[in-house]
Short mmCIF file of all heavy atoms in Angstrom, two decimals:
data_model
loop_
_atom_site.label_atom_id
_atom_site.label_comp_id
_atom_site.label_asym_id
_atom_site.label_seq_id
_atom_site.Cartn_x
_atom_site.Cartn_y
_atom_site.Cartn_z
N ILE J 245 46.11 45.74 0.50
CA ILE J 245 46.87 45.06 1.56
C ILE J 245 46.84 45.82 2.88
O ILE J 245 47.35 45.32 3.89
CB ILE J 245 48.34 44.82 1.13
CG1 ILE J 245 49.07 46.12 0.80
CG2 ILE J 245 48.37 43.88 -0.07
CD1 ILE J 245 50.55 45.93 0.52
N GLY J 246 46.25 47.00 2.92
CA GLY J 246 46.09 47.69 4.19
C GLY J 246 46.51 49.15 4.15
O GLY J 246 47.04 49.65 3.15
N GLU J 247 46.23 49.83 5.25
CA GLU J 247 46.64 51.22 5.43
C GLU J 247 48.08 51.28 5.93
O GLU J 247 48.60 50.29 6.48
CB GLU J 247 45.71 51.91 6.44
CG GLU J 247 44.26 51.93 6.03
CD GLU J 247 43.36 52.52 7.10
OE1 GLU J 247 43.88 52.92 8.18
OE2 GLU J 247 42.14 52.60 6.88
N LEU J 248 48.71 52.42 5.76
CA LEU J 248 50.02 52.62 6.35
C LEU J 248 49.92 52.50 7.86
O LEU J 248 48.89 52.82 8.45
CB LEU J 248 50.57 54.01 6.00
CG LEU J 248 50.81 54.35 4.53
CD1 LEU J 248 51.41 55.74 4.42
CD2 LEU J 248 51.70 53.33 3.85
N PRO J 249 50.99 52.06 8.53
CA PRO J 249 50.95 51.97 10.00
C PRO J 249 50.78 53.36 10.60
O PRO J 249 51.13 54.37 9.96
CB PRO J 249 52.31 51.37 10.36
CG PRO J 249 53.18 51.63 9.19
CD PRO J 249 52.29 51.61 7.98
N PRO J 250 50.26 53.45 11.81
CA PRO J 250 50.00 54.75 12.42
C PRO J 250 51.20 55.69 12.43
O PRO J 250 51.05 56.90 12.23
CB PRO J 250 49.57 54.39 13.85
CG PRO J 250 49.02 53.00 13.73
CD PRO J 250 49.82 52.32 12.68
N GLU J 251 52.40 55.13 12.65
CA GLU J 251 53.59 55.99 12.73
C GLU J 251 53.92 56.62 11.38
O GLU J 251 54.64 57.63 11.32
CB GLU J 251 54.80 55.19 13.20
CG GLU J 251 54.60 54.50 14.55
CD GLU J 251 54.09 53.07 14.42
OE1 GLU J 251 53.27 52.79 13.51
OE2 GLU J 251 54.52 52.23 15.24
N ALA J 252 53.43 56.01 10.30
CA ALA J 252 53.73 56.50 8.95
C ALA J 252 52.56 57.23 8.32
O ALA J 252 52.71 57.87 7.28
CB ALA J 252 54.15 55.33 8.06
N GLN J 253 51.41 57.13 8.96
CA GLN J 253 50.18 57.63 8.34
C GLN J 253 50.06 59.15 8.44
O GLN J 253 50.48 59.76 9.43
CB GLN J 253 48.96 56.98 9.00
CG GLN J 253 47.64 57.22 8.31
CD GLN J 253 47.60 56.65 6.91
OE1 GLN J 253 47.76 57.38 5.95
NE2 GLN J 253 47.41 55.33 6.82
N LYS J 254 49.47 59.74 7.42
CA LYS J 254 49.13 61.15 7.46
C LYS J 254 47.69 61.30 6.97
O LYS J 254 47.40 61.00 5.81
CB LYS J 254 50.07 61.99 6.59
CG LYS J 254 49.75 63.48 6.66
CD LYS J 254 50.77 64.30 5.89
CE LYS J 254 50.46 65.79 6.03
NZ LYS J 254 51.47 66.63 5.33
N THR J 255 46.82 61.73 7.86
CA THR J 255 45.43 61.93 7.49
C THR J 255 45.28 63.26 6.77
O THR J 255 45.79 64.28 7.23
CB THR J 255 44.52 61.90 8.74
OG1 THR J 255 44.65 60.63 9.37
CG2 THR J 255 43.07 62.12 8.35
N VAL J 256 44.60 63.22 5.64
CA VAL J 256 44.40 64.42 4.83
C VAL J 256 42.91 64.74 4.79
O VAL J 256 42.09 63.87 4.50
CB VAL J 256 44.93 64.24 3.40
CG1 VAL J 256 44.67 65.50 2.56
CG2 VAL J 256 46.42 63.91 3.42
N LEU J 257 42.56 65.98 5.09
CA LEU J 257 41.19 66.42 4.94
C LEU J 257 40.92 66.79 3.49
O LEU J 257 41.77 67.41 2.83
CB LEU J 257 40.91 67.65 5.82
CG LEU J 257 40.87 67.43 7.34
CD1 LEU J 257 40.74 68.77 8.05
CD2 LEU J 257 39.71 66.51 7.72
N PHE J 258 39.76 66.39 2.99
CA PHE J 258 39.32 66.82 1.67
C PHE J 258 38.10 67.72 1.87
O PHE J 258 37.17 67.37 2.59
CB PHE J 258 39.03 65.63 0.77
CG PHE J 258 40.29 65.01 0.23
CD1 PHE J 258 41.04 64.16 1.02
CD2 PHE J 258 40.77 65.34 -1.02
CE1 PHE J 258 42.23 63.62 0.56
CE2 PHE J 258 41.96 64.81 -1.49
CZ PHE J 258 42.70 63.94 -0.70
N SER J 259 38.16 68.89 1.25
CA SER J 259 37.22 69.95 1.56
C SER J 259 36.61 70.54 0.30
O SER J 259 37.17 70.43 -0.80
CB SER J 259 37.95 71.06 2.33
OG SER J 259 38.69 70.53 3.42
N ALA J 260 35.47 71.17 0.47
CA ALA J 260 34.77 71.83 -0.63
C ALA J 260 34.82 73.33 -0.44
O ALA J 260 34.82 73.84 0.69
CB ALA J 260 33.33 71.35 -0.70
N GLY J 261 34.85 74.06 -1.54
CA GLY J 261 34.79 75.51 -1.51
C GLY J 261 34.11 76.02 -2.77
O GLY J 261 34.07 75.34 -3.80
N ILE J 262 33.57 77.21 -2.70
CA ILE J 262 32.84 77.81 -3.82
C ILE J 262 33.73 78.85 -4.49
O ILE J 262 34.31 79.72 -3.82
CB ILE J 262 31.54 78.47 -3.32
CG1 ILE J 262 30.66 77.42 -2.63
CG2 ILE J 262 30.78 79.11 -4.49
CD1 ILE J 262 29.43 78.00 -1.95
N THR J 263 33.84 78.78 -5.80
CA THR J 263 34.72 79.67 -6.54
C THR J 263 34.19 81.10 -6.54
O THR J 263 33.00 81.35 -6.41
CB THR J 263 34.90 79.21 -7.99
OG1 THR J 263 33.63 79.24 -8.65
CG2 THR J 263 35.47 77.79 -8.04
N LYS J 264 35.09 82.02 -6.74
CA LYS J 264 34.72 83.45 -6.73
C LYS J 264 33.81 83.78 -7.91
O LYS J 264 33.01 84.73 -7.85
CB LYS J 264 35.96 84.33 -6.77
CG LYS J 264 36.75 84.26 -8.08
CD LYS J 264 37.84 85.30 -8.14
CE LYS J 264 38.55 85.25 -9.50
NZ LYS J 264 39.62 86.28 -9.62
N ASP J 265 33.92 83.02 -9.02
CA ASP J 265 33.15 83.31 -10.23
C ASP J 265 31.86 82.53 -10.32
O ASP J 265 31.18 82.57 -11.35
CB ASP J 265 34.01 83.01 -11.47
CG ASP J 265 35.25 83.89 -11.55
OD1 ASP J 265 35.15 85.07 -11.16
OD2 ASP J 265 36.29 83.40 -11.98
N SER J 266 31.51 81.79 -9.28
CA SER J 266 30.32 80.95 -9.34
C SER J 266 29.06 81.80 -9.57
O SER J 266 28.84 82.80 -8.89
CB SER J 266 30.15 80.16 -8.05
OG SER J 266 28.90 79.47 -8.06
N ALA J 267 28.25 81.35 -10.54
CA ALA J 267 26.96 82.00 -10.80
C ALA J 267 25.85 81.29 -10.05
O ALA J 267 24.69 81.67 -10.16
CB ALA J 267 26.68 82.01 -12.30
N ASN J 268 26.21 80.26 -9.30
CA ASN J 268 25.21 79.43 -8.60
C ASN J 268 25.59 79.26 -7.14
O ASN J 268 25.65 78.15 -6.63
CB ASN J 268 25.10 78.06 -9.28
CG ASN J 268 24.69 78.15 -10.73
OD1 ASN J 268 23.64 78.70 -11.05
ND2 ASN J 268 25.52 77.63 -11.63
N GLU J 269 25.84 80.36 -6.46
CA GLU J 269 26.33 80.27 -5.09
C GLU J 269 25.32 79.59 -4.16
O GLU J 269 25.68 78.75 -3.34
CB GLU J 269 26.69 81.66 -4.56
CG GLU J 269 27.30 81.62 -3.17
CD GLU J 269 27.80 82.98 -2.71
OE1 GLU J 269 27.99 83.87 -3.57
OE2 GLU J 269 28.01 83.15 -1.49
N GLY J 270 24.04 79.95 -4.27
CA GLY J 270 23.03 79.36 -3.42
C GLY J 270 22.90 77.87 -3.63
O GLY J 270 22.85 77.09 -2.68
N ALA J 271 22.87 77.45 -4.89
CA ALA J 271 22.78 76.02 -5.21
C ALA J 271 24.04 75.29 -4.77
O ALA J 271 23.98 74.14 -4.30
CB ALA J 271 22.55 75.83 -6.71
N SER J 272 25.19 75.94 -4.90
CA SER J 272 26.45 75.32 -4.48
C SER J 272 26.47 75.08 -2.98
O SER J 272 26.91 74.02 -2.51
CB SER J 272 27.63 76.22 -4.88
OG SER J 272 27.72 76.36 -6.29
N LYS J 273 25.96 76.05 -2.22
CA LYS J 273 25.88 75.87 -0.77
C LYS J 273 24.93 74.73 -0.42
O LYS J 273 25.20 73.95 0.50
CB LYS J 273 25.40 77.17 -0.11
CG LYS J 273 26.44 78.27 -0.09
CD LYS J 273 25.91 79.52 0.60
CE LYS J 273 26.98 80.60 0.69
NZ LYS J 273 26.46 81.83 1.34
N ASP J 274 23.85 74.61 -1.17
CA ASP J 274 22.89 73.54 -0.93
C ASP J 274 23.53 72.17 -1.17
O ASP J 274 23.35 71.24 -0.37
CB ASP J 274 21.68 73.73 -1.84
CG ASP J 274 20.57 72.72 -1.56
OD1 ASP J 274 20.06 72.71 -0.43
OD2 ASP J 274 20.22 71.95 -2.48
N LEU J 275 24.28 72.04 -2.25
CA LEU J 275 24.97 70.78 -2.54
C LEU J 275 26.00 70.45 -1.47
O LEU J 275 26.05 69.32 -0.97
CB LEU J 275 25.66 70.86 -3.90
CG LEU J 275 26.57 69.68 -4.25
CD1 LEU J 275 25.79 68.37 -4.33
CD2 LEU J 275 27.33 69.94 -5.54
N ILE J 276 26.82 71.43 -1.10
CA ILE J 276 27.85 71.18 -0.09
C ILE J 276 27.22 70.78 1.23
O ILE J 276 27.72 69.89 1.94
CB ILE J 276 28.75 72.43 0.07
CG1 ILE J 276 29.57 72.65 -1.20
CG2 ILE J 276 29.68 72.28 1.27
CD1 ILE J 276 30.34 73.95 -1.23
N ALA J 277 26.11 71.45 1.60
CA ALA J 277 25.42 71.10 2.84
C ALA J 277 24.96 69.65 2.82
O ALA J 277 25.05 68.94 3.84
CB ALA J 277 24.22 72.03 3.06
N PHE J 278 24.51 69.17 1.68
CA PHE J 278 24.10 67.77 1.57
C PHE J 278 25.31 66.84 1.72
O PHE J 278 25.26 65.84 2.43
CB PHE J 278 23.43 67.52 0.22
CG PHE J 278 23.21 66.07 -0.09
CD1 PHE J 278 22.19 65.35 0.52
CD2 PHE J 278 24.05 65.41 -0.98
CE1 PHE J 278 22.01 64.00 0.26
CE2 PHE J 278 23.87 64.05 -1.26
CZ PHE J 278 22.85 63.35 -0.63
N LEU J 279 26.41 67.17 1.05
CA LEU J 279 27.61 66.32 1.11
C LEU J 279 28.19 66.25 2.52
O LEU J 279 28.86 65.28 2.87
CB LEU J 279 28.67 66.84 0.14
CG LEU J 279 28.30 66.85 -1.35
CD1 LEU J 279 29.41 67.48 -2.17
CD2 LEU J 279 28.00 65.43 -1.85
N ALA J 280 27.93 67.29 3.32
CA ALA J 280 28.45 67.35 4.69
C ALA J 280 27.44 66.87 5.72
O ALA J 280 27.69 66.99 6.92
CB ALA J 280 28.88 68.78 5.01
N SER J 281 26.32 66.32 5.28
CA SER J 281 25.23 65.96 6.19
C SER J 281 25.25 64.48 6.57
O SER J 281 25.92 63.67 5.91
CB SER J 281 23.89 66.27 5.52
OG SER J 281 23.60 65.31 4.49
N PRO J 282 24.52 64.11 7.61
CA PRO J 282 24.43 62.68 7.99
C PRO J 282 23.89 61.79 6.88
O PRO J 282 24.21 60.60 6.84
CB PRO J 282 23.47 62.71 9.19
CG PRO J 282 23.66 64.07 9.78
CD PRO J 282 23.87 64.99 8.61
N LYS J 283 23.12 62.34 5.95
CA LYS J 283 22.59 61.53 4.84
C LYS J 283 23.71 60.96 3.99
O LYS J 283 23.55 59.91 3.37
CB LYS J 283 21.67 62.39 3.96
CG LYS J 283 20.35 62.78 4.60
CD LYS J 283 19.51 63.58 3.60
CE LYS J 283 18.19 64.00 4.21
NZ LYS J 283 17.39 64.81 3.26
N ALA J 284 24.83 61.65 3.93
CA ALA J 284 25.94 61.22 3.08
C ALA J 284 26.87 60.22 3.76
O ALA J 284 27.71 59.61 3.09
CB ALA J 284 26.75 62.44 2.63
N VAL J 285 26.73 60.03 5.06
CA VAL J 285 27.69 59.24 5.83
C VAL J 285 27.85 57.80 5.32
O VAL J 285 28.98 57.34 5.11
CB VAL J 285 27.33 59.26 7.32
CG1 VAL J 285 28.09 58.19 8.09
CG2 VAL J 285 27.64 60.63 7.91
N PRO J 286 26.77 57.03 5.12
CA PRO J 286 26.97 55.63 4.69
C PRO J 286 27.74 55.51 3.37
O PRO J 286 28.61 54.64 3.23
CB PRO J 286 25.53 55.11 4.54
CG PRO J 286 24.72 55.97 5.45
CD PRO J 286 25.34 57.33 5.35
N THR J 287 27.44 56.38 2.42
CA THR J 287 28.14 56.34 1.13
C THR J 287 29.60 56.72 1.29
O THR J 287 30.49 56.11 0.68
CB THR J 287 27.46 57.29 0.13
OG1 THR J 287 26.09 56.90 -0.02
CG2 THR J 287 28.13 57.25 -1.22
#
Side-chain angles (χ1 to χ4, degrees):
I245 59 174
E247 300 176 0
L248 298 183
E251 303 93 324
Q253 190 62 259
K254 182 175 183 178
T255 299
V256 178
L257 289 174
F258 282 80
S259 310
I262 301 173
T263 62
K264 68 171 183 179
D265 298 324
S266 173
N268 300 302
E269 184 173 342
S272 297
K273 287 181 177 179
D274 185 60
L275 172 63
I276 293 172
F278 169 76
L279 298 176
S281 73
K283 290 182 181 178
V285 166
T287 302

